[in-house]
Amino acid sequence: ELRDRPLVINFWASWCPPCREEALVLERSWQQYRDEVTFVGVDIQDSESAARAYLAEFHVTYPNGRDLDGRITIDYGVIGLPVTFFVNRAGVVERRWVGAIDEARLTSWIDELISGEAPSGETDGANLEGFRELR
């Protein structure tokens, strides 16, 4: 139901330090691009109260939901946090970033999604210092 609009999907958890590092970057980008791109957060392995506290702490206003049974996490092949997916208007995942994403990369990839450009350069990146494996 979100087709015809670029989508940024971010998997996170309140206990994940790199998720906390990128939270404000994601919210700022959402505020900047909200008329052109949909953001969705997917919380995993958290209690509802911990998830709500995290969203309040970082003033997150884009839509978020909890992956209670882990199905979304499995479907996307998430093995650690945070992970951000960039989905084009046709519903195709164009890029994936593993680990905390920096603002320059985030906005650059969002700009590509908006313009409809095919990805150039790396389409699957990683910041392993800013990544926590799931256990």
Side-chain angles (χ1 to χ4, degrees):
E1 65 189 58
L2 296 176
R3 288 189 189 225
D4 298 326
R5 188 172 165 96
L7 175 64
V8 174
I9 305 169
N10 178 258
F11 287 81
W12 62 274
S14 65
W15 48 262
C16 164
C19 299
R20 300 176 79 75
E21 290 172 21
E22 72 177 7
L24 293 175
V25 168
L26 289 162
E27 178 61 24
R28 270 195 307 273
S29 295
W30 160 245
Q31 292 298 329
Q32 179 181 349
Y33 289 101
R34 67 186 304 156
D35 293 333
E36 301 170 275
V37 177
T38 299
F39 276 52
V40 174
V42 181
D43 173 46
I44 67 172
Q45 298 182 346
D46 260 334
S47 67
E48 183 175 349
S49 61
R52 287 184 182 278
Y54 174 95
L55 295 173
E57 177 181 348
F58 294 104
H59 309 286
V60 175
T61 60
Y62 55 88
N64 274 266
R66 293 176 57 221
D67 185 14
L68 295 174
D69 61 8
R71 286 187 186 177
I72 301 167
T73 303
I74 291 168
D75 287 348
Y76 276 85
V78 173
I79 60 168
L81 296 173
V83 178
T84 305
F85 292 86
F86 298 81
V87 182
N88 69 21
R89 295 175 195 281
V92 175
V93 174
E94 293 278 3
R95 295 185 179 275
R96 177 185 75 149
W97 185 259
V98 173
I101 193 164
D102 64 82
E103 196 158 4
R105 183 176 317 275
L106 178 61
T107 57
S108 172
W109 287 5
I110 290 172
D111 288 338
E112 283 184 2
L113 281 178
I114 291 168
S115 71
E117 291 178 35
S120 59
E122 68 177 317
T123 59
D124 192 30
N127 171 14
L128 297 181
E129 294 80 35
F131 181 71
R132 298 291 185 262
E133 284 189 60
L134 296 177
R135 296 184 185 194

